[in-house]
Amino acid sequence: MNDTMIRLENVTYEYKSNIDEDILTALKNVSLEVKKGEFLAILGHNGSGKSTMAKMMNGLILPTNGEVYIMDMNTRVEEKIWDIRAKAGMVFQNPDNQLVATIVEEDVAFGPENLGIPPIEIRQRVDEALEAVEMSQYRKHAPHLLSGGQKQRIAIAGILAMKPDCIILDEPTAMLDPNGRIEVMNSIKKLNQEEGKTIVLITHYMDEAVEADRIIVLSNGEIAIEGSPREVFRHVDKVKELGLDVPQVTELAYELRKEGIDIRDDVLSIEELVELL
Ligand code: ADP
Ligand code: MG
């Protein structure tokens, strides 16, 4: 059985300027495989190519060179594009731009309605999707009156109602307050762990990336570091060179080590550090 969810093969993406003939290469010959059920986090400084990569992963844009496959469907095959978008749903940064209806449950129903799903099944899918993000009690509410974290969970429910195998989230918590961030991260983790959804999470919060199975760090359109959170954040200097932070607790352990305290270089949680000390 094939256990690959998303495959990028030698993918290059160029933006062409409308004004002059300038070409900006946003991704340079990138290859990457995301396994079914995996939770992958993508990090990188502004302009490193993260959003370009995300849009490639559900066929919103096509590579200039190379190929992208979603469960063996090439995103270049036009007849497959709706299958691809249903398999790999996308959640964006701004929840206000993603909500289309005036009542929560209608909003969640929008995707499956467009897929031509029969009404009875839509109702069931809306129930399940709202349940999965713990928003059932808000089904009759107006989306614009909800908090940022709640809106973003409704946006996720809207994607879930299309029964995707994979959810790609491009900085879904960037506009949220700390509580909203926690709510959305809890939903994401639950979908991955309890429902087996493949997750691709673009984030600039290191404490969110730590939750992933694997991290890639993009820099100028290339994969600069790849590995488990422990492997990646062990390279404190390298991560910082790429314009990123490391988790606070990793930073603390790093400073302690510099002061001569004998402590492991792959500490990721406060509990771990407390135990070691
Ligand atoms: P990130 O999400 O990591 O901030 P992006 O994928 O948005 O990075 O952008 C990668 C590079 O491509 C940047 O240099 C950015 O300026 C450029 N870029 C992104 N979108 C466009 C566009 N629509 N037209 C031209 N250049 C773009
Ligand atoms: Mg971006």
Side-chain angles (χ1 to χ4, degrees):
M1 215 188 84
N2 184 350
D3 65 350
T4 304
M5 183 71 222
I6 300 173
R7 191 162 81 248
L8 275 65
E9 280 179 10
N10 305 106
V11 165
T12 294
Y13 190 84
E14 294 172 348
Y15 289 102
K16 292 189 183 62
S17 163
N18 296 328
I19 304 156
D20 42 39
E21 297 293 286
D22 278 7
I23 288 177
L24 190 143
T25 309
L27 288 177
K28 297 171 191 159
N29 201 30
V30 173
S31 293
L32 172 71
E33 260 190 44
V34 184
K35 298 280 174 213
K36 286 180 188 161
E38 186 175 7
F39 181 169
L40 176 74
I42 302 179
L43 299 173
H45 56 78
N46 273 341
S48 58
K50 303 181 298 296
S51 293
T52 303
M53 184 181 265
K55 286 178 201 151
M56 204 95 71
M57 286 177 166
N58 81 341
L60 283 175
I61 55 175
L62 297 176
T64 310
N65 280 304
E67 309 297 330
V68 176
Y69 297 90
I70 313 300
M71 292 177 104
D72 289 330
M73 295 181 283
N74 191 318
T75 55
R76 289 187 195 283
V77 180
E78 275 178 40
E79 306 86 81
K80 290 282 181 197
I81 201 67
W82 294 109
D83 288 343
I84 287 171
R85 301 247 171 97
K87 287 270 176 248
M90 185 108 181
V91 176
F92 297 93
Q93 189 178 99
N94 188 341
D96 291 317
N97 297 344
Q98 300 175 76
L99 303 175
V100 290
T102 50
I103 297 176
V104 163
E105 63 181 3
E106 284 172 8
D107 202 277
V108 178
F110 188 76
E113 270 164 8
N114 280 337
L115 293 176
I117 309 292
I120 282 203
E121 190 181 336
I122 292 180
R123 226 164 296 146
Q124 196 181 335
R125 286 185 179 204
V126 169
D127 288 347
E128 285 171 13
L130 286 172
E131 187 67 31
V133 296
E134 292 168 25
M135 285 296 288
S136 301
Q137 70 271 40
Y138 293 96
R139 59 184 311 141
K140 301 286 182 196
H141 284 231
H144 72 276
L145 297 178
L146 301 175
S147 73
Q150 289 173 329
K151 283 184 202 169
Q152 204 55 310
R153 279 146 70 203
I154 296 302
I156 294 172
I159 296 297
L160 279 177
M162 293 193 274
K163 301 232 175 210
D165 293 299
C166 175
I167 306 177
I168 301 152
L169 306 104
D170 190 354
E171 303 201 19
T173 63
M175 303 181 76
L176 307 183
D177 61 20
N179 276 335
R181 283 182 51 206
I182 291 170
E183 288 169 21
V184 168
M185 275 310 290
N186 284 342
S187 287
I188 293 171
K189 281 190 277 182
K190 188 172 145 207
L191 291 173
N192 177 245
Q193 289 164 8
E194 292 174 24
E195 305 206 15
K197 303 285 184 202
T198 307
I199 301 288
V200 176
L201 173 68
I202 296 174
T203 181
H204 61 259
Y205 291 111
M206 301 307 130
D207 55 338
E208 294 178 3
V210 163
E211 305 280 356
D213 299 319
R214 183 160 61 117
I215 295 174
I216 62 170
V217 183
L218 286 180
S219 178
N220 301 321
E222 295 178 288
I223 297 177
I225 318 182
E226 174 174 4
S228 68
R230 274 189 209 284
E231 286 160 356
V232 168
F233 290 124
R234 169 180 276 161
H235 305 289
V236 175
D237 292 324
K238 196 171 169 193
V239 170
K240 288 188 169 179
E241 263 172 43
L242 295 171
L244 301 173
D245 291 325
V246 297
Q248 265 183 345
V249 62
T250 311
E251 173 100 48
L252 177 57
Y254 174 78
E255 293 299 332
L256 289 171
R257 211 162 48 248
K258 276 208 299 204
E259 296 298 319
I261 294 170
D262 182 20
I263 201 164
R264 266 177 23 215
D265 64 357
D266 62 352
V267 180
L268 281 185
S269 75
I270 293 168
E271 293 76 24
E272 268 178 340
L273 184 61
V274 168
E275 182 138 333
L276 289 169
L277 289 174

